[in-house]
Amino acid sequence: MANKANFTKEQWDKVLQAPLLVGFAVSAGDPSGFIGMIQESMASANALAAAKADARADELIRAAVDDLLTPEARTAARERIRLLIQGCELTEIKIRALEELRNTAKILDATAPLESRPFKNWLKEIAYLVAQAGTEGGFLGFGGEKVSAAERATLAEISAALGT
């Protein structure tokens, strides 16, 4: 079973930022305003907590979650993402996030081939939870739809970037 020890530091850094990047990609694909952004951020955090509590979670997922739940690793992952998107327009944020996810998928496939698919499926699950978190359209939270067409398109792009 693959875990943190199977990766170089640079590879592991990319693995750790991937759960955060899928949320950024969805949010950039169809911005939801301030409240929606908070809801989407909470959905991402809740997905990490759920994976930590899941006794059936894959060892690689557990290792990533354990690291991400430390202040040092979480801060470092956020800083790497901040540097990645610094000075970008919203559309460019999604493009850069998807490119990083493609790179991470290659690392996972090469370094942890048995754990690659479950990890990538977990990333897709996080993206879907983020997309469902806020209501798109409507007024003051009434009406609208849970997952907009733009979010569905972004979910498809994430799936393609991950090779799933």
Side-chain angles (χ1 to χ4, degrees), residues 45-114:
N46 289 339
L48 292 176
K52 175 133 180 95
D54 184 358
R56 298 172 294 133
D58 175 275
E59 183 178 348
L60 183 58
I61 293 170
R62 279 196 314 267
V65 169
D66 286 346
D67 259 17
L68 273 174
L69 292 178
T70 66
E72 300 81 19
R74 188 172 47 255
T75 299
R78 285 181 182 156
E79 179 60 17
R80 283 189 301 280
I81 291 171
R82 186 188 68 74
L83 292 172
L84 176 72
I85 64 173
Q86 189 171 14
C88 290
E89 297 290 325
L90 207 50
T91 54
E92 182 68 19
I93 289 172
K94 184 174 99 169
I95 291 167
R96 287 187 183 188
L98 292 170
E99 185 58 35
E100 281 297 305
L101 290 170
R102 275 186 210 86
N103 293 336
T104 302
K106 290 175 188 172
I107 290 168
L108 289 165
D109 290 342
T111 309
L114 296 177

Side-chain angles (χ1 to χ4, degrees), residues 15 19 21-22 36 38 42 45 64 100 103 107 111 116 122 129 152 156:
V15 169
L21 271 177
V22 293
I38 290 172
M42 289 302 297
E100 281 297 305
N103 293 336
I107 290 168
T111 309
S116 179
W122 176 61
L129 292 171
R152 284 190 295 277

